[in-house]
Amino acid sequence: MRSVAKGAAGRTARQLGVCPEYAEPAPLAAPRAVTVPGTAPRAVEPVLTAPRAARAVSPAKRTRDAAGVAPGALPLDQILLGDSIQMMAGLPAGSVDLVFADPPYNLQLGGELKRPDESLVDAVDDDWDRFDSFATYDAFTRAWLLAARRALKPNGTLFVIGSYHNIFRVGAMMQDLGFWILNDIVWRKANPMPNFRGRRFTNAHETLIWAARSADAKYTFNYEALKAGNEDVQVRSDWLFPLCTGQERLKDGAGKKLHPTQKPEALLARVLLSATKPGDVVLDPFFGSGTTGAVARRLRRSFIGIEREEAYAQAARARIDAVEPLPEDALIAPPSAREAPRVAFSVLVERGLVTPGAELTDAKGRFRAVVRADGTLSLAGGQNVGSIHRVGALAQGAEACNGWTFWHVEEQGRRHPIDVLRARLRAEMGIAAE
Amino acid sequence: MRSVAKGAAGRTARQLGVCPEYAEPAPLAAPRAVTVPGTAPRAVEPVLTAPRAARAVSPAKRTRDAAGVAPGALPLDQILLGDSIQMMAGLPAGSVDLVFADPPYNLQLGGELKRPDESLVDAVDDDWDRFDSFATYDAFTRAWLLAARRALKPNGTLFVIGSYHNIFRVGAMMQDLGFWILNDIVWRKANPMPNFRGRRFTNAHETLIWAARSADAKYTFNYEALKAGNEDVQVRSDWLFPLCTGQERLKDGAGKKLHPTQKPEALLARVLLSATKPGDVVLDPFFGSGTTGAVARRLRRSFIGIEREEAYAQAARARIDAVEPLPEDALIAPPSAREAPRVAFSVLVERGLVTPGAELTDAKGRFRAVVRADGTLSLAGGQNVGSIHRVGALAQGAEACNGWTFWHVEEQGRRHPIDVLRARLRAEMGIAAE
DNA sequence: GCTCGACTTGAATCCTGTG
DNA sequence: CCACAGGATTCAAGTCGAG
């Protein structure tokens, strides 16, 4: 097991402030510092931890290539020890593909965990306390969301998980900051803790919000792979997973659970398989026990973790180092029709897979069209000439039509969609999927 | 069928403004008028609609006892035609036990959406769901929440349903206004609309927030009854129900759906059975097609509905008048009961495979019990109420009993174990319930 | 009266590259 | 910036008519 590379980072060299190569301006960050109890500056030392000796890069050496946004500047597969907001501000802007955030829903006031449920204080003070708490929590939320937004690539997406104590505030703030919600997702706990007092419904789920950086972002969503792994039906917004228990749950020396809210790896796996590609960079600003890192490594994604508590970071480091990445061929995406290179129908004609003058029909043989040498079709019994799609639409009187699946060709007495010919050509050309 | 009592209310007598007895100051209401597109003042006439002639109370007569908070001042089992916020401000403060609110979701839809077969999706494009900005929506939300808060009894609770488009804003605003969230609840849709373009997860759920007026409220939660109707297991925060379709869905004259977002009665039944007692007053400020009213009447709760669209109010009135309240003895709150085996009899009731009030017998017809709306049984000739298993055991004087095989229902002169109904439901649902 | 299959429909923030 | 065109994309319930 490897320890967090604290000493190597040169602890005494810079006492406060941000590590030099992280000191670049953060244009989209909060305009003024937001002071949050519990996240207020301790002596923040951005200590880079290395997954293995060969990858260990000391901060001093890395200052050399800190100017640009080059991927090399990223502390990949490392755990940054320090405050989430400050550490994110030190990352190059627009550099990560996905942020997964499991923020605290408790307001860490004075280092003491204070649950909303326990804040049953004097009714007279209640209103003020509530206002103060919510305002503080909102400021904290705004600050880390802005820092995450800055770190994200334009087409990157963000997952946040929370419960009813905080998720509404987080979701509203996300909308206010311009994030574009793609889904809210429900993690249904197969084995939730019962409600002991019998005063409420069993709190049996948590909520994830998945959002793009903006409404027009071209985000990653591995739709076809997810569907294929789900009995060929779309994956829904409600996911069923057990809690993290048993062997998977990290324990401390005394056999007690190391972290109070360790998430199950299955949940993170679904997240990463949904919204990232192998090699993508995943940032987790509230790294905790490092589930995100462990799953990222297993699925051959890169990660950047940020964690304030050294004990958690140490345990996460050891945990991740023990993970064996899956074989690469276990992670190859199944061919996606959407991402396949385009092949024009004219190419099929040029390459001889369809002969000019050949007759195409629809599946039932009701409509007929003739293939022309330039790759257009002419509808039988009319003057209409155009693309396979246009002519298919015209034939049916429809507004649109996918000519590849509409038009069929007859081979050896059997009728195939011309999409079959296209697939054949793609195979010949060895262009499986770019 | 009875029509909305528009004429009786004296339409021409007051052209604009608020009905006199509703003009009392609303101390907690929004300090200034909130102008919302689509909810902007039309000629608002608070027309009281009466469920039956004997109950019809004209506004003019009711001014006499409008000063206090006496229950008699409430327009019980009526539909108020007008703006939600204004109408709520006219109700006596601290007068209702439960608010169920299904506010506009602010969907922000863009262009039209087509299914893969080129058919057009019938989107929610109504005026009432259009807001200029989040700020406008927030102001609207704040105003109606404050009005609802004012109308609630100190120990009353509030349910709000929404989607990711609006629920985070609503939830945060609720917290800001002092509501105390008890649960967030997920309505898992058994048959959601798919994501046709394969760009997101199937949006397969909606969220309800259940909140008390304050953290120290002594709210109603029928824990024992819910548990007894749920195989003696606590009801979780994720509920599975189908969409409102088929016969239950109200149609207009042309056979098209009357209301774009009619909620299933099963969902409302669970809400009312969870958080109200028979005779309680339920306020629904966005009444729509009147599902809340129909279920309230069936379960012998009183309702107050507020609806701006006269066509909806008319249809709701007729719908509710056609509802036959359940026998009172099917609704008495059961004594505390605990312990017994598995699976959910209440689902059979909610889904209509067993009718509340129906009589169950054992195989030989020696013992009889009556089905209650919450999925519990009451033993004939006794005070014993509990789960199918518990009551079956009590009937025989046995320690335990499998209610599924013990209790029988008569269909077409033949007696089946209720397990047959469960099997039928499972077949219908494809065991999608997990 | 039954089964089978075709058809309809539901609170939806639902495409992308080229010119 | 817009316009245009290629072409990729759906699940569970319900109704209804045919046989």
Short mmCIF file of all heavy atoms in Angstrom, two decimals, chain A residues 17-18 22 33-47 79-91 104 108 140 143-144 147 283-287 305-310:
data_model
loop_
_atom_site.label_atom_id
_atom_site.label_comp_id
_atom_site.label_asym_id
_atom_site.label_seq_id
_atom_site.Cartn_x
_atom_site.Cartn_y
_atom_site.Cartn_z
N GLY A 17 -2.09 30.02 0.85
CA GLY A 17 -2.21 30.27 -0.58
C GLY A 17 -2.26 29.01 -1.40
O GLY A 17 -2.24 27.90 -0.90
N VAL A 18 -2.31 29.21 -2.67
CA VAL A 18 -2.51 28.12 -3.60
C VAL A 18 -1.19 27.78 -4.27
O VAL A 18 -0.35 28.63 -4.51
CB VAL A 18 -3.56 28.53 -4.66
CG1 VAL A 18 -3.72 27.45 -5.71
CG2 VAL A 18 -4.88 28.83 -3.98
N TYR A 22 -1.38 26.23 -9.77
CA TYR A 22 -2.84 26.26 -9.68
C TYR A 22 -3.36 27.69 -9.55
O TYR A 22 -4.53 27.91 -9.36
CB TYR A 22 -3.32 25.45 -8.48
CG TYR A 22 -3.12 23.98 -8.63
CD1 TYR A 22 -3.12 23.15 -7.54
CD2 TYR A 22 -2.93 23.42 -9.89
CE1 TYR A 22 -2.95 21.79 -7.68
CE2 TYR A 22 -2.74 22.06 -10.04
CZ TYR A 22 -2.74 21.25 -8.93
OH TYR A 22 -2.57 19.91 -9.07
N ALA A 33 -14.71 35.92 -2.33
CA ALA A 33 -14.50 34.71 -1.55
C ALA A 33 -15.73 34.44 -0.70
O ALA A 33 -16.31 35.35 -0.11
CB ALA A 33 -13.28 34.86 -0.67
N VAL A 34 -16.13 33.21 -0.67
CA VAL A 34 -17.25 32.84 0.16
C VAL A 34 -16.72 32.11 1.37
O VAL A 34 -16.03 31.11 1.24
CB VAL A 34 -18.21 31.91 -0.62
CG1 VAL A 34 -19.31 31.43 0.29
CG2 VAL A 34 -18.75 32.63 -1.83
N THR A 35 -16.98 32.67 2.52
CA THR A 35 -16.48 32.05 3.73
C THR A 35 -17.52 31.08 4.27
O THR A 35 -18.65 31.45 4.53
CB THR A 35 -16.17 33.10 4.80
OG1 THR A 35 -15.23 34.02 4.25
CG2 THR A 35 -15.59 32.44 6.03
N VAL A 36 -17.12 29.89 4.38
CA VAL A 36 -18.02 28.86 4.86
C VAL A 36 -17.42 28.22 6.09
O VAL A 36 -16.28 27.77 6.04
CB VAL A 36 -18.25 27.78 3.77
CG1 VAL A 36 -19.14 26.69 4.30
CG2 VAL A 36 -18.82 28.41 2.52
N PRO A 37 -18.16 28.24 7.17
CA PRO A 37 -17.63 27.59 8.37
C PRO A 37 -17.30 26.14 8.06
O PRO A 37 -18.08 25.45 7.43
CB PRO A 37 -18.80 27.67 9.36
CG PRO A 37 -19.68 28.75 8.83
CD PRO A 37 -19.49 28.77 7.36
N GLY A 38 -16.17 25.74 8.47
CA GLY A 38 -15.80 24.34 8.24
C GLY A 38 -15.06 24.16 6.93
O GLY A 38 -14.32 23.21 6.77
N THR A 39 -15.28 25.07 6.00
CA THR A 39 -14.46 25.00 4.80
C THR A 39 -13.53 26.21 4.74
O THR A 39 -12.88 26.45 3.76
CB THR A 39 -15.31 24.98 3.53
OG1 THR A 39 -16.08 26.18 3.49
CG2 THR A 39 -16.23 23.78 3.50
N ALA A 40 -13.55 26.97 5.81
CA ALA A 40 -12.65 28.12 5.87
C ALA A 40 -11.20 27.63 5.82
O ALA A 40 -10.90 26.51 6.20
CB ALA A 40 -12.88 28.88 7.18
N PRO A 41 -10.35 28.51 5.30
CA PRO A 41 -8.98 28.07 5.07
C PRO A 41 -8.29 27.52 6.31
O PRO A 41 -8.11 28.22 7.29
CB PRO A 41 -8.28 29.33 4.55
CG PRO A 41 -9.23 30.46 4.83
CD PRO A 41 -10.58 29.86 4.84
N ARG A 42 -7.98 26.27 6.26
CA ARG A 42 -6.98 25.76 7.18
C ARG A 42 -5.67 26.02 6.44
O ARG A 42 -5.67 26.64 5.39
CB ARG A 42 -7.16 24.25 7.37
CG ARG A 42 -8.61 23.88 7.73
CD ARG A 42 -8.73 22.39 7.88
NE ARG A 42 -8.22 21.70 6.71
CZ ARG A 42 -7.82 20.45 6.72
NH1 ARG A 42 -7.84 19.76 7.84
NH2 ARG A 42 -7.39 19.87 5.63
N ALA A 43 -4.60 25.56 6.96
CA ALA A 43 -3.36 25.70 6.20
C ALA A 43 -3.47 24.75 5.00
O ALA A 43 -3.18 23.57 5.10
CB ALA A 43 -2.16 25.36 7.06
N VAL A 44 -3.92 25.31 3.92
CA VAL A 44 -4.23 24.46 2.78
C VAL A 44 -2.98 24.16 1.98
O VAL A 44 -2.37 25.06 1.41
CB VAL A 44 -5.29 25.13 1.88
CG1 VAL A 44 -5.50 24.28 0.66
CG2 VAL A 44 -6.57 25.31 2.64
N GLU A 45 -2.63 22.93 1.96
CA GLU A 45 -1.49 22.55 1.15
C GLU A 45 -1.94 21.55 0.10
O GLU A 45 -2.33 20.45 0.43
CB GLU A 45 -0.40 21.91 2.01
CG GLU A 45 0.14 22.84 3.07
CD GLU A 45 0.08 22.23 4.44
OE1 GLU A 45 -0.72 21.30 4.64
OE2 GLU A 45 0.83 22.68 5.30
N PRO A 46 -1.91 21.95 -1.11
CA PRO A 46 -2.35 21.04 -2.15
C PRO A 46 -1.34 19.93 -2.35
O PRO A 46 -0.40 20.06 -3.11
CB PRO A 46 -2.46 21.93 -3.39
CG PRO A 46 -1.53 23.05 -3.12
CD PRO A 46 -1.50 23.24 -1.63
N VAL A 47 -1.53 18.90 -1.64
CA VAL A 47 -0.59 17.79 -1.72
C VAL A 47 -1.04 16.82 -2.79
O VAL A 47 -2.16 16.32 -2.77
CB VAL A 47 -0.51 17.07 -0.36
CG1 VAL A 47 0.41 15.87 -0.47
CG2 VAL A 47 -0.03 18.05 0.70
N ILE A 79 -5.06 12.32 -5.70
CA ILE A 79 -5.96 12.87 -4.69
C ILE A 79 -5.35 14.15 -4.15
O ILE A 79 -4.24 14.13 -3.64
CB ILE A 79 -6.18 11.87 -3.53
CG1 ILE A 79 -6.69 10.53 -4.06
CG2 ILE A 79 -7.16 12.45 -2.51
CD1 ILE A 79 -6.73 9.44 -3.01
N LEU A 80 -6.04 15.24 -4.33
CA LEU A 80 -5.56 16.52 -3.83
C LEU A 80 -6.10 16.71 -2.43
O LEU A 80 -7.31 16.61 -2.20
CB LEU A 80 -6.03 17.66 -4.73
CG LEU A 80 -5.81 17.44 -6.24
CD1 LEU A 80 -6.22 18.69 -7.01
CD2 LEU A 80 -4.37 17.08 -6.54
N LEU A 81 -5.19 16.97 -1.51
CA LEU A 81 -5.57 17.11 -0.12
C LEU A 81 -5.83 18.58 0.17
O LEU A 81 -4.91 19.39 0.16
CB LEU A 81 -4.45 16.56 0.76
CG LEU A 81 -4.77 16.20 2.20
CD1 LEU A 81 -5.89 15.19 2.28
CD2 LEU A 81 -3.51 15.63 2.86
N GLY A 82 -7.08 18.93 0.40
CA GLY A 82 -7.36 20.32 0.68
C GLY A 82 -8.81 20.66 0.45
O GLY A 82 -9.66 19.79 0.28
N ASP A 83 -9.08 21.97 0.46
CA ASP A 83 -10.44 22.46 0.31
C ASP A 83 -10.91 22.31 -1.13
O ASP A 83 -10.20 22.68 -2.08
CB ASP A 83 -10.48 23.93 0.73
CG ASP A 83 -11.83 24.55 0.45
OD1 ASP A 83 -12.77 24.25 1.19
OD2 ASP A 83 -11.92 25.32 -0.53
N SER A 84 -12.13 21.83 -1.31
CA SER A 84 -12.64 21.55 -2.64
C SER A 84 -12.62 22.77 -3.54
O SER A 84 -12.19 22.71 -4.70
CB SER A 84 -14.09 21.05 -2.54
OG SER A 84 -14.13 19.82 -1.88
N ILE A 85 -13.11 23.87 -3.01
CA ILE A 85 -13.27 25.06 -3.85
C ILE A 85 -11.91 25.61 -4.26
O ILE A 85 -11.68 25.93 -5.42
CB ILE A 85 -14.11 26.10 -3.08
CG1 ILE A 85 -15.51 25.52 -2.83
CG2 ILE A 85 -14.19 27.40 -3.86
CD1 ILE A 85 -16.29 26.23 -1.76
N GLN A 86 -11.01 25.68 -3.29
CA GLN A 86 -9.67 26.20 -3.63
C GLN A 86 -8.95 25.27 -4.59
O GLN A 86 -8.29 25.72 -5.52
CB GLN A 86 -8.85 26.36 -2.35
CG GLN A 86 -9.41 27.45 -1.44
CD GLN A 86 -8.49 27.71 -0.26
OE1 GLN A 86 -7.30 27.41 -0.31
NE2 GLN A 86 -9.05 28.26 0.80
N MET A 87 -9.05 23.99 -4.37
CA MET A 87 -8.33 23.06 -5.22
C MET A 87 -8.91 23.06 -6.63
O MET A 87 -8.18 22.98 -7.62
CB MET A 87 -8.38 21.65 -4.64
CG MET A 87 -7.80 21.49 -3.25
SD MET A 87 -6.18 22.20 -3.03
CE MET A 87 -5.20 21.10 -3.93
N MET A 88 -10.21 23.16 -6.73
CA MET A 88 -10.80 23.22 -8.08
C MET A 88 -10.36 24.47 -8.81
O MET A 88 -10.13 24.46 -10.01
CB MET A 88 -12.33 23.14 -7.99
CG MET A 88 -12.85 21.74 -7.77
SD MET A 88 -14.62 21.57 -8.12
CE MET A 88 -15.31 22.15 -6.58
N ALA A 89 -10.25 25.56 -8.05
CA ALA A 89 -9.82 26.81 -8.66
C ALA A 89 -8.42 26.69 -9.23
O ALA A 89 -8.03 27.43 -10.14
CB ALA A 89 -9.89 27.94 -7.64
N GLY A 90 -7.66 25.75 -8.69
CA GLY A 90 -6.31 25.56 -9.18
C GLY A 90 -6.19 24.68 -10.40
O GLY A 90 -5.12 24.58 -11.01
N LEU A 91 -7.26 24.03 -10.77
CA LEU A 91 -7.22 23.18 -11.96
C LEU A 91 -7.36 24.03 -13.21
O LEU A 91 -7.95 25.11 -13.17
CB LEU A 91 -8.36 22.15 -11.91
CG LEU A 91 -8.33 21.13 -10.77
CD1 LEU A 91 -9.58 20.28 -10.80
CD2 LEU A 91 -7.08 20.26 -10.87
N PRO A 104 -21.43 17.58 1.18
CA PRO A 104 -22.02 17.41 2.51
C PRO A 104 -23.36 18.11 2.55
O PRO A 104 -23.53 19.18 1.98
CB PRO A 104 -21.02 18.10 3.43
CG PRO A 104 -20.26 19.04 2.56
CD PRO A 104 -20.25 18.43 1.19
N GLN A 108 -21.06 22.00 8.22
CA GLN A 108 -20.01 21.60 9.15
C GLN A 108 -19.61 22.79 9.99
O GLN A 108 -18.54 23.36 9.83
CB GLN A 108 -18.84 21.00 8.39
CG GLN A 108 -19.26 19.73 7.68
CD GLN A 108 -18.19 19.19 6.79
OE1 GLN A 108 -17.43 19.95 6.22
NE2 GLN A 108 -18.13 17.88 6.66
N PHE A 140 -22.01 28.22 0.12
CA PHE A 140 -21.08 27.11 -0.09
C PHE A 140 -21.40 26.37 -1.40
O PHE A 140 -20.52 26.10 -2.21
CB PHE A 140 -21.16 26.16 1.10
CG PHE A 140 -20.58 24.80 0.86
CD1 PHE A 140 -19.21 24.63 0.73
CD2 PHE A 140 -21.40 23.69 0.77
CE1 PHE A 140 -18.67 23.37 0.51
CE2 PHE A 140 -20.88 22.43 0.54
CZ PHE A 140 -19.51 22.28 0.41
N ALA A 143 -20.50 28.38 -4.45
CA ALA A 143 -19.05 28.47 -4.67
C ALA A 143 -18.50 27.19 -5.30
O ALA A 143 -17.74 27.24 -6.27
CB ALA A 143 -18.35 28.77 -3.34
N TRP A 144 -18.90 26.05 -4.78
CA TRP A 144 -18.31 24.84 -5.35
C TRP A 144 -18.89 24.53 -6.73
O TRP A 144 -18.18 23.99 -7.60
CB TRP A 144 -18.37 23.66 -4.38
CG TRP A 144 -19.66 22.92 -4.22
CD1 TRP A 144 -20.51 22.96 -3.16
CD2 TRP A 144 -20.23 21.96 -5.13
NE1 TRP A 144 -21.58 22.13 -3.34
CE2 TRP A 144 -21.44 21.49 -4.54
CE3 TRP A 144 -19.86 21.45 -6.37
CZ2 TRP A 144 -22.26 20.55 -5.16
CZ3 TRP A 144 -20.68 20.52 -6.99
CH2 TRP A 144 -21.87 20.07 -6.39
N ALA A 147 -16.99 26.62 -9.15
CA ALA A 147 -15.65 26.09 -9.36
C ALA A 147 -15.70 24.84 -10.23
O ALA A 147 -14.85 24.63 -11.11
CB ALA A 147 -15.00 25.78 -8.01
N LEU A 283 -13.77 14.32 -12.24
CA LEU A 283 -13.39 15.08 -11.05
C LEU A 283 -14.41 14.85 -9.94
O LEU A 283 -15.61 14.99 -10.16
CB LEU A 283 -13.34 16.57 -11.41
CG LEU A 283 -13.25 17.57 -10.24
CD1 LEU A 283 -11.95 17.39 -9.47
CD2 LEU A 283 -13.39 19.00 -10.75
N ASP A 284 -13.90 14.49 -8.77
CA ASP A 284 -14.79 14.32 -7.61
C ASP A 284 -14.29 15.24 -6.49
O ASP A 284 -13.29 14.95 -5.83
CB ASP A 284 -14.80 12.86 -7.13
CG ASP A 284 -15.79 12.65 -5.99
OD1 ASP A 284 -16.12 13.62 -5.29
OD2 ASP A 284 -16.24 11.50 -5.81
N PRO A 285 -14.96 16.36 -6.27
CA PRO A 285 -14.46 17.34 -5.31
C PRO A 285 -14.74 16.97 -3.85
O PRO A 285 -14.25 17.66 -2.96
CB PRO A 285 -15.21 18.62 -5.69
CG PRO A 285 -16.47 18.15 -6.32
CD PRO A 285 -16.17 16.83 -6.98
N PHE A 286 -15.55 15.95 -3.63
CA PHE A 286 -15.79 15.49 -2.25
C PHE A 286 -15.49 14.00 -2.23
O PHE A 286 -16.38 13.16 -2.17
CB PHE A 286 -17.23 15.80 -1.84
CG PHE A 286 -17.61 17.25 -2.05
CD1 PHE A 286 -18.34 17.63 -3.16
CD2 PHE A 286 -17.21 18.21 -1.14
CE1 PHE A 286 -18.68 18.97 -3.35
CE2 PHE A 286 -17.54 19.55 -1.33
CZ PHE A 286 -18.28 19.93 -2.44
N PHE A 287 -14.22 13.68 -2.28
CA PHE A 287 -13.77 12.35 -2.65
C PHE A 287 -14.07 11.30 -1.61
O PHE A 287 -14.34 10.15 -1.94
CB PHE A 287 -12.25 12.42 -2.91
CG PHE A 287 -11.74 11.34 -3.81
CD1 PHE A 287 -12.22 11.20 -5.10
CD2 PHE A 287 -10.72 10.48 -3.38
CE1 PHE A 287 -11.72 10.22 -5.96
CE2 PHE A 287 -10.22 9.50 -4.23
CZ PHE A 287 -10.71 9.37 -5.51
N GLY A 305 -9.32 13.50 -7.49
CA GLY A 305 -10.10 13.54 -6.26
C GLY A 305 -9.64 14.67 -5.37
O GLY A 305 -8.45 14.98 -5.34
N ILE A 306 -10.58 15.28 -4.69
CA ILE A 306 -10.23 16.31 -3.72
C ILE A 306 -10.85 15.94 -2.38
O ILE A 306 -12.05 15.62 -2.31
CB ILE A 306 -10.75 17.70 -4.15
CG1 ILE A 306 -10.19 18.06 -5.54
CG2 ILE A 306 -10.34 18.77 -3.13
CD1 ILE A 306 -10.74 19.35 -6.11
N GLU A 307 -10.04 15.96 -1.35
CA GLU A 307 -10.53 15.53 -0.04
C GLU A 307 -9.79 16.30 1.05
O GLU A 307 -8.59 16.47 0.99
CB GLU A 307 -10.33 14.02 0.13
CG GLU A 307 -10.67 13.48 1.50
CD GLU A 307 -12.09 13.84 1.95
OE1 GLU A 307 -13.01 13.73 1.12
OE2 GLU A 307 -12.25 14.27 3.11
N ARG A 308 -10.54 16.77 2.03
CA ARG A 308 -9.95 17.56 3.10
C ARG A 308 -9.33 16.69 4.19
O ARG A 308 -8.35 17.05 4.81
CB ARG A 308 -11.01 18.46 3.75
CG ARG A 308 -11.48 19.60 2.89
CD ARG A 308 -12.60 20.35 3.58
NE ARG A 308 -12.19 20.89 4.85
CZ ARG A 308 -12.76 20.62 6.03
NH1 ARG A 308 -13.79 19.82 6.07
NH2 ARG A 308 -12.32 21.15 7.13
N GLU A 309 -9.96 15.55 4.43
CA GLU A 309 -9.52 14.72 5.56
C GLU A 309 -8.42 13.77 5.11
O GLU A 309 -8.63 12.94 4.23
CB GLU A 309 -10.70 13.90 6.09
CG GLU A 309 -11.85 14.72 6.60
CD GLU A 309 -11.51 15.44 7.90
OE1 GLU A 309 -10.63 14.93 8.63
OE2 GLU A 309 -12.09 16.50 8.16
N GLU A 310 -7.31 13.90 5.75
CA GLU A 310 -6.17 13.10 5.33
C GLU A 310 -6.42 11.61 5.53
O GLU A 310 -6.00 10.79 4.71
CB GLU A 310 -4.92 13.53 6.11
CG GLU A 310 -3.66 12.97 5.52
CD GLU A 310 -2.42 13.59 6.15
OE1 GLU A 310 -2.48 14.79 6.50
OE2 GLU A 310 -1.41 12.88 6.28
#
